[in-house]
Structures are given as C-alpha cells and as structure tokens.
C-alpha cells in the first residue's frame, strides 16, 4: 500500500490553518460537514466521526452495554480485527465465535443459526477486504429475533448488497479512515446509523460519555431530573473515553471523499484482473465478487500445503512484492495470545478461518497500481 494522503489534501490543511485567528481545531464545523457529506455518500441519516475505526467498534459495543448492563453474548467471526474482539470483551460481553464462508470471508449464516441463543444481544458482521458479507437471511434473522446487527465496514467502503451500500443495513455500522484504507483522514472513523437515539448516545459516548453533547433536549431533561445533585455540564452517561476527531482530520477526509467512488472502481477492476489471472488449480478463485469494493488482493491456496505456502512467500519476497499472511487482521484471532489465555486452544474448530490463517494472504491493491503489473504478479504466482 502507499500512503493515501495527497499534496492536494495537505494543501487543504494549509488553507484551513491560514486564517488569523485560527479556527477551532477539534470536533467542530469541519467534522460536522464531513459527517453530513459522508451520510450523503453512504446513505445513513446519522453519522458520528471518531478518531479511529477501533473507536467506532468500541462505541458500538458500549451502546450495547448501555442497553444491556447485565451483558450477554455477541456473535462474531474469528477472522476479525483485534479491535472487534476487544470491544466485545472490554464491554463485558461473551464473544461467541462462528466460522466464515470462504466465498465472502464473512460469517457463515448456517453456523450463526446454530449459535444464536436467548442470550445473543448482537451480531458483529465484518465485511472483510472489500467483500460483501451480508445476506438477506442474516438481516431477517436479526430483525425477527431483535438482535442488534453491527456492520464493521472498516475494510469495505463502497461494497454493496443488493445494489445498496453495506453499512446501511445494520442498526449501526463502523468505518475506518486509517491511512491505508479506501479513503483516509490519516486516522479516523465513523459510526453510522438511522436510529436517532443511537446517534444521540454516540455523540455523548465519543466525548467521555457526557450528556451535554447530545442535542435531544427531552432526553437531557429526563436524565437531569433523575440526577438532581449533578452539574448539568458534567453528567456522564457511561464510563467512556475521548474519541473525538480533530478538524484537520475532517478537512483531509472531506477532500478524500471526492475521489472515493472513482478509486473504488479502479480497485474493483484490478481485483477482476488478479483473480481471473490466477491458476484455479492452485488458488481459490471462487470469491463472491458481486458488490465487492476490493481493498487488497485476496490470495488463498486451494490445498493445505505448508511447502507450497513457503514457496509462494519466497517467490513474492524475491520479486519485491509486499504481502500479509493470514488474510485480514493476521488471521485466526483465536490463535492470538489474548484469546488463548481465556478460551484455550479452540482455534481448529473454525476450519475455514484457520485455512485462511495458514494459507491466505493479502497483497496491496491501490488506485495508482500499474495495471500491467497485475498479470506479471499472477504469472509469477502461477509458476510456483
Ligand atoms: C475490520 C476492521 N475493523 C476495525 C479496524 C480498526 O480501524 P482503525 O485502524 O482505524 O482503528 C480495522 C483496521 O484496519 C479493521 O480492518
């Protein structure tokens, strides 16, 4: 990947910082403007900018805790980013892991159905590396069973389900604007929802949980009437953190958003060339490409051969191709020390995730990648 920040982005920041006196530099009009423009682009009514995708994960689960102070279970895949799991654990919920489907690298609905119990409070669906992870059945089950659907779209800005952008189907969705993602604000994230109550809570939660950040006067009055001894400026709805964004990040994000759709189209075409060029006897090419907004090329071996895997890695290294093993997030989170410590060695119970852990990689795909390099790469891989 290349650093996505452009000279044009930097010039916008310089212009923003030129006036005397300086404008407000944190969580102000530029953040608000980006939230509004992001909402127009994505199709969600309410959007709250935070300073990372991890913060968006954390606040989604904090909202679940606010609604369920006694905890419960959250279904999620072991093919995740660490902050998804951290948000579940740190908010006192029990993670219930479900394996993924190789075709879209997201929760396997058949596995999900087996794991839903009366304690299931939320399903945390992660759209991995640009693939659409949703199914109509999952959306229906969540509605029928009153389970909160949280979409983590940090790796899949612009992917669609039934022609509509993912991140608009769940009750809440999370985005990241880390500097290597589809678009960037250097560091940044967004919480998106169509639910006004959640919006009001997220406004408070990103600012230490402070009630004064909400704009719902009735809600404010009711909390204050239940807590008459408190100064109205310092009422903490939850034990929360400071996840606010600076204005500088929002200035960059506003400029980057202008190019997002155009760049996504280039990335998606690049993925087609990549997958079509691979030898299907050696590599899995049956990914569900419909609605994908590729983030990085997905390379997965058909067979479980450590010898072949090592030869693939040696070839990529020799030819200066950067790669990451484990597909997304370093692979099977259940193999990580922080989960083994509490759950033991259960990682092999998730065979698809575990296959990707050992025999899957991602390789950078970015808008300025020369097209002619892609067949060179696939030929190299096919010769291994
Ligand atoms: C699926 C997923 N969720 C959450 C995050 C966290 O985003 P951030 O790096 O902005 O904290 C990432 C990071 O890349 C991610 O891939």
């Amino acid at each position: 990947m290349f650093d996505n920040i452009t000279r044009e982005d930097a010039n916008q920041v310089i212009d923003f910082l030129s006036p005397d006196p300086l404008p407000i530099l944190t969580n102000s009009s530029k953040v608000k403007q980006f939230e509004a423009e992001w909402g127009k682009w994505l199709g969600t009514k309410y959007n709250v900018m935070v300073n990372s995708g991890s913060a968006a994960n954390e606040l989604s689960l904090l909202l679940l805790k606010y609604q369920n102070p006694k905890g419960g279970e959250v279904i999620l895949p072991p093919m995740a980013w660490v902050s998804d799991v951290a948000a579940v654990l740190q908010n006192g919920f029990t993670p219930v892991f479900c394996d993924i489907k190789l075709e879209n690298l997201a929760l396997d609905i058949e596995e999900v159905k087996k794991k839903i119990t009366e304690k299931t409070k939320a399903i945390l669906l992660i759209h991995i590396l640009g693939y659409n992870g949703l199914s109509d059945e999952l959306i229906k089950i969540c509605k029928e069973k009153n389970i909160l659907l949280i979409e983590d779209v940090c790796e899949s800005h612009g992917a669609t389900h039934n022609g509509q952008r993912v991140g608009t189907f769940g009750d809440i969705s999370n985005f990241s604007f880390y500097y290597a993602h589809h678009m960037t604000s250097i560091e940044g994230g967004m919480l998106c929802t169509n639910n006004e109550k959640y919006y009001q809570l997220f406004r408070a939660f990103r600012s230490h949980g402070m009630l004064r950040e909400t704009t719902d006067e009735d809600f404010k009055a009711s909390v204050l009437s239940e807590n008459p001894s408190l100064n109205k400026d310092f009422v903490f709805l939850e034990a929360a953190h400071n996840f606010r964004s600076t204005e500088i990040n929002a200035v960059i994000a506003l400029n980057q958003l202008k190019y997002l759709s155009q760049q996504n189209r280039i990335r998606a075409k690049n993925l087609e060339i990549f997958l079509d060029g691979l030898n299907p006897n050696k590599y899995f090419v049956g990914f569900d490409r419909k609605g994908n907004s590729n983030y990085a090329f997905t390379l997965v071996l058909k067979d479980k051969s450590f010898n072949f895997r090592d030869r693939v890695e040696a070839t990529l290294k020799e030819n200066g191709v950067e790669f990451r093993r484990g597909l997304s997030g370093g692979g099977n989170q259940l193999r990580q020390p922080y989960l083994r410590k509490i759950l033991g060695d259960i990682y092999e119970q998730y065979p698809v995730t575990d296959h990707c852990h050992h025999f899957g990689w991602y390789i950078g795909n970015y808008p300025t990648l020369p097209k002619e390099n892609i067949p060179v790469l696939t030929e190299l891989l096919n010769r291994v």
Side-chain angles (χ1 to χ4, degrees):
M1 295 298 202
F2 278 107
D3 190 330
N4 275 337
I5 309 288
T6 63
R7 173 46 50 194
E8 188 182 290
D9 297 328
N11 287 341
Q12 298 276 331
V13 173
I14 291 165
D15 287 350
F16 172 70
L17 293 174
S18 296
D20 244 339
L22 281 165
I24 295 174
L25 291 178
T26 189
N27 199 33
S28 188
S29 56
K30 290 293 173 190
V31 167
K32 245 188 227 148
Q33 190 187 338
F34 178 52
E35 289 171 344
E37 295 200 10
W38 177 259
K40 258 190 247 157
W41 180 85
L42 180 66
T44 40
K45 229 171 171 174
Y46 305 110
N47 303 279
V48 174
M49 189 180 184
V50 287
N51 55 18
S52 70
S54 313
N57 292 152
E58 165 64 23
L59 295 191
S60 301
L61 271 295
L62 182 63
L63 183 130
L64 192 70
K65 180 164 116 183
Y66 181 82
Q67 291 180 319
N68 302 278
K70 291 198 179 123
E73 296 175 354
V74 175
I75 292 177
L76 77 167
M79 177 62 68
W81 184 246
V82 61
S83 57
D84 293 297
V85 189
V88 173
L89 294 173
Q90 288 165 11
N91 284 293
F93 290 94
T94 306
V96 174
F97 288 97
C98 269
D99 209 356
I100 56 168
K101 266 181 79 172
L102 194 51
E103 287 72 14
N104 65 359
L105 304 173
L107 282 172
D108 182 338
I109 185 78
E110 295 311 317
E111 294 298 311
V112 170
K113 285 196 265 187
K114 287 183 214 158
K115 302 238 171 143
I116 290 176
T117 70
E118 280 177 7
K119 293 188 204 144
T120 309
K121 302 296 180 204
I123 293 178
L124 178 46
L125 177 84
I126 308 171
H127 299 278
I128 296 284
L129 295 172
Y131 292 104
N132 163 31
L134 279 166
S135 64
D136 292 340
E137 195 178 2
L138 181 73
I139 297 166
K140 189 162 160 253
I141 289 175
C142 287
K143 282 222 167 76
E144 278 173 6
K145 297 194 182 287
N146 200 21
I147 295 170
L148 196 83
L149 178 58
I150 305 168
E151 290 181 73
D152 181 336
V153 201
C154 290
E155 296 179 8
S156 299
H157 314 51
T160 57
H161 174 67
N162 297 338
Q164 184 183 321
R165 291 210 163 109
V166 305
T168 57
F169 291 88
D171 299 285
I172 302 165
S173 63
N174 303 161
F175 285 82
S176 162
F177 306 119
Y178 174 61
Y179 79 89
H181 286 176
H182 294 68
M183 66 156 276
T184 184
S185 57
I186 310 177
E187 302 281 0
M190 193 72 87
L191 284 146
C192 315
T193 182
N194 287 317
N195 182 312
E196 197 194 343
K197 177 101 204 277
Y198 297 169
Y199 167 66
Q200 295 294 346
L201 289 169
F202 287 143
R203 285 181 61 87
F205 291 171
R206 83 171 153 191
S207 284
H208 309 278
M210 284 200 281
L211 179 68
R212 71 179 189 213
E213 294 293 321
T214 72
T215 53
D216 180 339
E217 296 308 323
D218 293 342
F219 177 57
K220 267 189 206 167
S222 87
V223 176
L224 288 172
S225 72
E226 285 162 18
N227 298 278
S229 68
L230 297 179
N231 170 352
K232 70 176 171 41
D233 290 332
F234 295 100
V235 178
F236 301 101
L237 292 168
E238 271 293 346
H241 303 277
N242 169 8
F243 288 141
R244 289 184 298 256
S245 169
T246 75
E247 291 282 277
I248 293 168
N249 301 99
V251 167
I252 293 173
L254 277 163
N255 198 50
Q256 288 253 329
L257 183 57
K258 293 194 268 184
Y259 301 102
L260 178 59
S261 294
Q262 175 194 331
Q263 301 209 329
N264 284 351
R265 282 192 286 277
I266 300 173
R267 286 174 187 261
K269 270 192 206 136
N270 287 352
L271 179 74
E272 294 290 323
I273 303 171
F274 178 76
L275 291 178
D276 289 343
L278 288 177
N279 180 344
N281 297 320
K282 294 181 176 177
Y283 304 103
F284 176 76
V285 294
F287 291 106
D288 181 2
R289 304 184 205 178
K290 198 162 169 234
N292 105 82
S293 175
N294 188 249
Y295 165 54
F297 297 141
T298 44
L299 182 68
V300 178
L301 297 193
K302 275 200 95 164
D303 298 325
K304 296 184 193 317
S305 165
F306 285 100
N307 178 287
F308 187 60
R309 174 187 94 174
D310 293 345
R311 284 190 287 127
V312 167
E313 293 200 348
T315 303
L316 291 173
K317 265 189 204 149
E318 274 161 27
N319 288 278
V321 181
E322 210 181 325
F323 59 86
R324 300 279 187 276
R325 193 197 313 145
L327 267 182
S328 174
N332 189 347
Q333 288 293 313
L334 287 159
R335 287 185 174 271
Q336 297 292 344
Y338 74 93
L339 277 178
R340 288 180 68 196
K341 193 167 63 183
I342 52 176
L343 298 177
D345 292 344
I346 59 166
Y347 37 79
E348 284 176 351
Q349 293 169 21
Y350 304 85
V352 183
T353 302
D354 220 40
H355 181 84
C356 296
H357 178 91
H358 292 301
F359 308 110
W361 299 266
Y362 73 78
I363 297 174
N365 171 18
Y366 44 92
T368 53
L369 175 67
K371 279 223 165 7
E372 59 277 15
N373 285 9
I374 306 170
V376 176
L377 173 61
T378 52
E379 276 157 34
L380 205 68
L381 289 165
N382 291 342
R383 278 203 302 273
V384 178

